[in-house]
Amino acid sequence: MQQSVESLVRLLETYRGRDKVIRTFCYGSQLVGGALTRKAAADASSQRLGKSLLLFSAQLSHCRTVLRLFDDLSMLAYSHSYGLGASEEDAGVRWISVLTNVADQLYYPCEHIAWAADAELIKVRSDKWWLFSTVLWGTSLLLGILRLFRVLLLLRKKLKKKHQRGEGGSSRRSDLHRQMQAEMLSILSSMADLSNAVHWMPPGFLWAGWFPSWLVGLLGSTSSLIGLIQMNTSSSSE
């Protein structure tokens, strides 16, 4: 118990960790609130609690949007350091990563303009800017999934070669298995987020607008919990 509390405190001390915790509470509140408002038509107290949780979720989402106002420079620094991915061995991984960085970089100013329009800081319609940001987010997720599948394929090829040649000890093969499991978890996380991104597209596009609040919360919670687990695992291994 004490170790879990200490891990949570360490997460909250960093910006990325705090964002993941807020994201988890945001989607978790939407999951529970959506479930309560959906099934409790005859229970007024449960309905009120459900609506309060949905409002709480919306406020946490707004909080994350405001905090992302300061993410442009860090994203630019990362994109600049990655460049054209000269350090990558595989050309497919390299160019997918470059395109993902471009989509991520463009996402932030679009979201900032949409937020500023909603806050009445600028006189433009926010709808199209929210749409642009959602499209860029979905594009980034789709590219990320393609990249993860490519990395997974390369890891499988590497593992197969080691088996055929009898190279590497059991520890090396187990490391490759762990990497593959981590990539598969990342694919699951990104696919859950991509499902929500499509849901927030304009009506008529695939399953846009079809998801109830609890399902959006479930998909987001799944993605958030995977992110927390991966972050905690990576910090523990350092």
Side-chain angles (χ1 to χ4, degrees):
M1 179 64 179
Q2 184 179 355
Q3 188 176 0
S4 299
V5 172
E6 289 175 353
S7 297
L8 179 60
V9 170
R10 282 197 300 271
L11 275 176
L12 291 172
E13 286 176 344
T14 65
Y15 170 74
R16 285 183 65 244
R18 192 180 305 117
D19 179 68
K20 287 191 179 296
V21 171
I22 294 173
R23 189 183 198 271
T24 304
F25 275 101
C26 174
Y27 281 115
S29 299
Q30 189 169 5
L31 169 60
V32 177
L36 286 174
T37 55
R38 181 171 179 264
K39 72 175 184 178
D43 189 342
S45 62
S46 295
Q47 278 278 15
R48 284 195 298 271
L49 176 59
K51 289 178 180 178
S52 296
L53 286 171
L54 290 176
L55 288 172
F56 179 61
S57 173
Q59 289 300 313
L60 289 179
S61 178
H62 180 71
C63 169
R64 294 184 67 232
T65 300
V66 173
L67 289 173
R68 282 195 296 269
L69 290 172
F70 306 96
D71 283 355
D72 300 73
L73 289 178
S74 59
M75 183 65 221
L76 185 62
Y78 173 77
S79 298
H80 181 265
S81 65
Y82 188 84
L84 296 179
S87 60
E88 296 285 1
E89 296 179 2
D90 182 73
V93 171
R94 178 168 65 249
W95 288 110
I96 292 172
S97 298
V98 170
L99 291 174
T100 303
N101 290 343
V102 171
D104 288 340
Q105 194 68 62
L106 293 174
Y107 166 84
Y108 290 108
C110 290
E111 186 187 56
H112 300 341
I113 293 171
W115 168 82
D118 281 346
E120 299 183 355
L121 299 175
I122 55 177
K123 300 297 182 182
V124 296
R125 287 174 56 87
S126 66
D127 298 4
K128 66 177 182 179
W129 292 103
W130 284 121
L131 175 59
F132 290 158
S133 64
T134 303
V135 169
L136 287 166
W137 181 43
T139 301
S140 173
L141 288 167
L142 184 58
L143 289 168
I145 291 169
L146 292 175
R147 181 187 181 279
L148 288 166
F149 273 118
R150 179 62 180 168
V151 171
L152 193 60
L153 178 63
L154 293 172
L155 287 172
R156 282 181 175 173
K157 285 182 178 179
K158 188 182 292 186
L159 186 62
K160 186 177 180 180
K161 283 183 180 179
K162 288 190 178 295
H163 274 301
Q164 289 175 343
R165 297 176 182 176
E167 297 176 352
S170 59
S171 61
R172 178 56 181 161
R173 287 196 292 270
S174 64
D175 285 343
L176 287 173
H177 279 298
R178 278 195 293 270
Q179 288 179 44
M180 291 169 66
Q181 289 171 358
E183 300 300 335
M184 286 188 284
L185 274 178
S186 296
I187 290 171
L188 176 61
S189 174
S190 295
M191 289 184 74
D193 283 335
L194 182 60
S195 298
N196 276 341
V198 172
H199 165 71
W200 285 315
M201 293 288 187
F205 180 77
L206 298 178
W207 56 85
W210 289 7
F211 290 174
S213 293
W214 69 266
L215 182 53
V216 174
L218 177 62
L219 291 168
S221 296
T222 300
S223 169
S224 300
L225 288 172
I226 290 173
L228 280 174
I229 291 168
Q230 290 177 327
M231 177 174 274
N232 187 54
T233 301
S234 63
S235 62
S236 299
S237 61
E238 290 174 356

